[in-house]
Amino acid sequence: MTKVDKTKRFSEVFLFLLLSCTFQGTHCELVLSPTGHTVVNAEVGRNVTLAVSFSGATDPVVAWFMKDVPVITWTFGSSPIIDGKKTNVLRLEPNGSLTFVNVSLEFSSNYTFEITKAGLKQVSTTFTLNVFEIIQNVTLRSEPDLVIEGTDRFMLEYSMSQGVVQQQTWFYNGREIQTNSNNSKDKSLVILRPTRSDTGQYSVFLTNPFGSVTTYMNVTVLYGPEDPKIQARPAQPFYVSGDSLLLSCLGEGSPKPSIEWIFGGQNISRSAILNLTNVKTGQGGDYTCMLLNELTKNQSQISFTLDVYERPSENPLCSVQSVNNNVDLQYHCQWSGGTPQARLFFPELDNSKSGLGNLSLTVNASENLDGRTFMCLTEHPIEKNKCNITASSPLKFLPTVQTTVNFAGKIVVSIHCVSEASPSAVVLWSRGSEAVTNGTTHQISSDTTQLQIRDYNVSNFLLQNYTCTCKNPLGGQRREIQLRGPSISNSNLFPNQDGTILTLTWEVPPYSVVTGFDIQMKGPDLQSKNRYDAQSKGKSNGFQTIQWKPGSARSADIFDLNPKLTYRFQVIPKALRTDGEPSEVHRIGPGEGLSGPAIAGLAAGIPCSLLFLLLLAFFIYRCVHYHKNRSRQTRYPVSRAVEKVRNNSLPE
């Protein structure tokens, strides 16, 4: 349509309006009304018309405004004036309606159609034009990327490659979110102070008159690690060396926290379950489980104290000893080793005191403690045990004496005084009225139970009496020792069945000083001479030494005897070169015949014996003869009366 045609058509329209106003009379007013919807939705690229109709005046001035800016003005008889930037889109229809050709988004606005006539009231009507694009390629993102529990807020925002949204609706796990100005803004949803319960699927539903799109996004609110726990299986208050167990570390968090086990400052495992087999006491201690959120880098930790116990070795030991110059008693209880150390106490002595592994209690010695037994109680997590100890005064004892010869050739006499006592008795030594101390002649052992006396001459040992006193805090025992020269108290001889071998035994008095023994024989030579240190030389009336035995010996064996011959034996005790009294002489073998005095005795005794036998025979003969004569005398009969009287007269 040309510009002339448009002008001609507008003129025809206004002519019609003028004639209408003339026929109505001199009174006329403008009438304007839309012929369609005042709110018009249009799709980008389409044509759309804002339709109007008006009447009541001639030659009015017509104008269209986009918001407050005029885009088209037209006066009757002239061509419409269109904003130059919009001439390709806007078109004024003959009836005043406004058409948009190939409309674009920038024309979405409020439009006002206004008619003005001098002398008449101005009239207008308003339209709203909404231009929409099809919604395409909608995506959601969160800000920040990592949503962490406890932060102030996080926001979901959508974007699209094209489209105009008329309405947006947000959903959480399929349920609509009631939005307001606090949590909903253009293209976004704001979640304040997010918590783990806000984790889920979010979606936005976008719509306009020409289409709709729904877009989804899963949101995970990160938290933790928190509430860490360590569980031991089997669960026990403690474990014994050699046991096995599992330690499990648990903790909540999103994402699932990583785990690291630390023991003794070293990383020992990254597994949630720590397997400990055949544990030892050195593995006891604090095991720390470190939990890490790999995304937030937040950490949490928890420790578990593993107690690995070991029983103390062996059994508890109780003892008592003398302290404070042998005046007081110290009771001691020990159960060493073990993890932890055992707790010890003497409940009857002092229940208020205890010790770990060792316990010592010192008390004043008194008579009521002599022979009294006290119990030490020991407590260990694995086992309870006990031991007993009894303190007692020294018992009666007998000293013992041993004699040797040292490398210097001196006689060494060792006197032992040992008295059974608890605690062990301390031995005090004296010679006569003087205390014995260590020196050249005397030497006391470290435990005081032995006194050694050294000298070349045995006579020097016999000058004084020695006294040993065994003493502890509960009492003492005293014994005197009078040393004697070399001597033998008893001896015996035991031959074998054939009489070819014999054993000679002897005993020595308790306090005799003896360094050796000479075994002497009297009689014929032995059949073998190489068996002994000393040998007899031919037959002699004197004794000869055939063996030598040390001072500790108490027997000697003699071989190769002739059972048809007679031997005599004796033992000589010696203290170096000093001989003691010989033992009893022992004889073995057949007899040697009668001696002269024995024969004379027999000669004198035989006649006397014959005379005695004759006198005895004569005496026996006379007795027999006498009894025979009495039995031959005549007996006369007696009357019964006389017999009766005789019987009555017999005494009862």
Side-chain angles (χ1 to χ4, degrees):
M1 182 180 294
T2 65
K3 186 175 182 180
V4 175
D5 292 334
K6 291 182 179 180
T7 304
K8 182 178 180 182
R9 188 172 179 181
F10 281 119
S11 299
E12 292 174 353
V13 172
F14 279 99
L15 180 60
F16 171 76
L17 294 174
L18 177 61
L19 292 175
S20 298
C21 182
T22 303
F23 287 120
Q24 291 177 3
T26 59
H27 178 72
C28 185
E29 65 177 8
L30 297 175
V31 177
L32 174 63
S33 63
T35 59
H37 297 290
T38 58
V39 177
V40 179
N41 296 324
E43 184 180 352
V44 169
R46 303 272 182 175
N47 297 338
V48 62
T49 300
L50 304 181
V52 296
S53 66
F54 62 90
S55 63
T58 60
D59 301 328
V61 178
V62 177
W64 281 96
F65 294 87
M66 184 179 181
K67 294 187 179 178
D68 297 331
V69 178
V71 292
I72 293 180
T73 57
W74 177 67
T75 304
F76 182 76
S78 63
S79 298
I81 300 173
I82 301 175
D83 185 345
K85 296 179 181 180
K86 301 177 175 59
T87 56
N88 294 330
V89 178
L90 300 180
R91 186 176 66 195
L92 185 66
E93 300 296 335
N95 62 353
S97 299
L98 180 62
T99 297
F100 297 82
V101 179
N102 194 18
V103 69
S104 60
L105 291 177
E106 63 186 56
F107 289 94
S108 290
S109 183
N110 294 324
Y111 292 86
T112 302
F113 178 62
E114 186 179 285
I115 300 176
T116 305
K117 178 67 176 176
L120 296 179
K121 181 179 179 182
Q122 183 186 53
V123 294
S124 64
T125 185
T126 301
F127 293 85
T128 299
L129 176 61
N130 297 313
V131 182
F132 297 93
E133 268 186 325
I134 299 298
I135 303 172
Q136 294 181 356
N137 300 326
V138 180
T139 58
L140 279 174
R141 72 178 185 88
S142 67
E143 176 65 34
D145 293 335
L146 297 179
V147 182
I148 302 175
E149 185 178 58
T151 56
D152 291 338
R153 53 187 283 171
F154 83 92
M155 181 178 65
L156 292 177
E157 185 177 24
Y158 67 85
S159 61
M160 53 191 173
S161 61
Q162 70 171 36
V164 176
V165 176
Q166 183 181 38
Q167 182 179 359
Q168 63 181 23
T169 306
W170 291 90
F171 295 87
Y172 170 71
N173 291 337
R175 294 175 297 175
E176 183 179 354
I177 299 175
Q178 300 300 319
T179 60
N180 53 48
S181 59
N182 292 327
N183 64 357
S184 178
K185 296 182 179 181
D186 186 27
K187 294 186 178 183
S188 63
L189 174 69
V190 177
I191 305 297
L192 300 176
R193 293 176 295 280
T195 65
R196 67 197 66 180
S197 62
D198 293 320
T199 296
Q201 185 185 68
Y202 289 81
S203 62
V204 60
F205 176 66
L206 305 178
T207 182
N208 65 27
F210 303 98
S212 63
V213 173
T214 301
T215 301
Y216 301 89
M217 180 180 183
N218 291 322
V219 175
T220 300
V221 179
L222 308 180
Y223 65 93
E226 61 183 30
D227 195 22
K229 296 178 182 178
I230 294 180
Q231 294 178 348
R233 291 176 296 173
Q236 299 174 186
F238 64 86
Y239 298 85
V240 180
S241 180
D243 285 351
S244 298
L245 69 149
L246 297 175
L247 294 181
S248 301
C249 185
L250 307 173
E252 294 185 5
S254 178
K256 185 177 180 181
S258 63
I259 290 175
E260 181 179 359
W261 287 96
I262 298 174
F263 176 71
Q266 300 295 323
N267 181 351
I268 60 174
S269 176
R270 294 185 180 276
S271 173
I273 298 178
L274 185 62
N275 186 11
L276 300 176
T277 60
N278 193 25
V279 294
K280 304 301 180 184
T281 54
Q283 293 175 266
D286 291 335
Y287 287 78
T288 300
C289 175
M290 297 287 298
L291 297 98
L292 172 67
N293 189 314
E294 297 285 356
L295 296 181
T296 66
K297 305 305 179 183
N298 291 332
Q299 291 184 348
S300 181
Q301 69 180 47
I302 185 172
S303 295
F304 176 85
T305 300
L306 177 64
D307 293 322
V308 181
Y309 294 160
E310 187 174 45
R311 179 189 181 276
S313 60
E314 300 181 355
N315 290 311
L317 298 176
C318 287
S319 62
V320 61
Q321 62 183 7
S322 305
V323 294
N324 300 331
N325 296 323
N326 211 26
V327 174
D328 297 327
L329 293 174
Q330 186 179 73
Y331 289 85
H332 184 68
C333 183
Q334 179 179 6
W335 200 15
S336 58
T339 304
Q341 289 184 312
R343 183 167 294 279
L344 320 174
F345 54 95
F346 283 101
E348 296 183 38
L349 281 173
D350 191 344
N351 197 31
S352 63
K353 295 182 179 180
S354 63
L356 295 176
N358 288 277
L359 174 63
S360 295
L361 292 179
T362 301
V363 297
N364 294 327
S366 59
E367 292 183 0
N368 63 339
L369 297 179
D370 191 2
R372 185 176 175 183
T373 300
F374 292 97
M375 179 185 299
C376 173
L377 299 181
T378 63
E379 293 182 350
H380 188 270
I382 298 177
E383 177 184 315
K384 293 183 179 180
N385 213 323
K386 63 182 179 180
C387 62
N388 298 322
I389 184 62
T390 303
S392 59
S393 59
L395 300 179
K396 293 182 178 180
F397 65 97
L398 291 176
T400 61
V401 175
Q402 294 179 343
T403 305
T404 58
V405 178
N406 65 10
F407 66 93
K410 286 185 178 182
I411 298 175
V412 179
V413 177
S414 299
I415 304 175
H416 295 264
C417 289
V418 179
S419 174
E420 183 178 348
S422 180
S424 299
V426 176
V427 183
L428 304 177
W429 297 91
S430 62
R431 185 178 66 172
S433 59
E434 296 180 356
V436 175
T437 58
N438 288 326
T440 304
T441 303
H442 300 93
Q443 187 68 42
I444 301 173
S445 64
S446 59
D447 62 358
T448 71
T449 60
Q450 174 182 283
L451 172 65
Q452 287 187 346
I453 311 167
R454 302 178 180 90
D455 206 306
Y456 290 106
N457 192 347
V458 67
S459 61
N460 293 334
F461 294 96
L462 312 179
L463 298 178
Q464 296 289 341
N465 289 339
Y466 287 90
T467 302
C468 64
T469 302
C470 296
K471 185 179 181 182
N472 73 4
L474 295 176
Q477 293 289 339
R478 182 173 179 271
R479 290 292 180 270
E480 292 185 356
I481 302 97
Q482 175 66 59
L483 298 178
R484 300 175 55 180
S487 59
I488 292 177
S489 60
N490 188 24
S491 61
N492 290 285
L493 186 146
F494 302 97
N496 68 347
Q497 187 176 2
D498 297 333
T500 59
I501 303 174
L502 65 83
T503 299
L504 188 64
T505 64
W506 62 90
E507 296 177 4
V508 175
Y511 305 145
S512 179
V513 178
V514 179
T515 61
F517 302 93
D518 284 345
I519 311 302
Q520 294 186 342
M521 181 186 76
K522 180 180 179 182
D525 292 338
L526 298 177
Q527 295 181 9
S528 176
K529 298 181 181 180
N530 296 328
R531 188 180 297 270
Y532 308 107
D533 296 334
Q535 301 175 358
S536 58
K537 297 180 181 180
K539 185 174 180 179
S540 173
N541 292 330
F543 283 92
Q544 290 183 338
T545 300
I546 60 172
Q547 292 185 38
W548 179 87
K549 292 292 182 180
S552 59
R554 293 297 182 266
S555 66
D557 293 326
I558 303 172
F559 300 88
D560 302 322
L561 298 174
N562 190 336
K564 297 179 180 180
L565 301 179
T566 299
Y567 302 90
R568 289 178 174 80
F569 298 94
Q570 68 180 11
V571 180
I572 305 296
K574 301 177 69 68
L576 289 182
R577 295 180 179 82
T578 302
D579 293 347
E581 291 294 325
S583 69
E584 175 188 356
V585 176
H586 298 278
R587 173 183 173 279
I588 185 174
E592 296 179 335
L594 296 177
S595 62
I599 294 174
L602 288 175
I606 290 174
C608 294
S609 298
L610 292 175
L611 180 61
F612 175 76
L613 291 175
L614 289 175
L615 292 175
L616 181 61
F618 178 76
F619 178 75
I620 293 172
Y621 171 77
R622 292 295 300 169
C623 289
V624 172
H625 180 73
Y626 174 77
H627 283 287
K628 286 182 177 180
N629 291 334
R630 289 194 62 182
S631 61
R632 292 175 179 173
Q633 292 180 1
T634 303
R635 296 184 66 182
Y636 296 95
V638 181
S639 64
R640 293 183 177 273
V642 175
E643 184 68 25
K644 183 176 181 180
V645 171
R646 183 180 294 173
N647 292 336
N648 290 336
S649 64
L650 293 175
E652 297 181 359

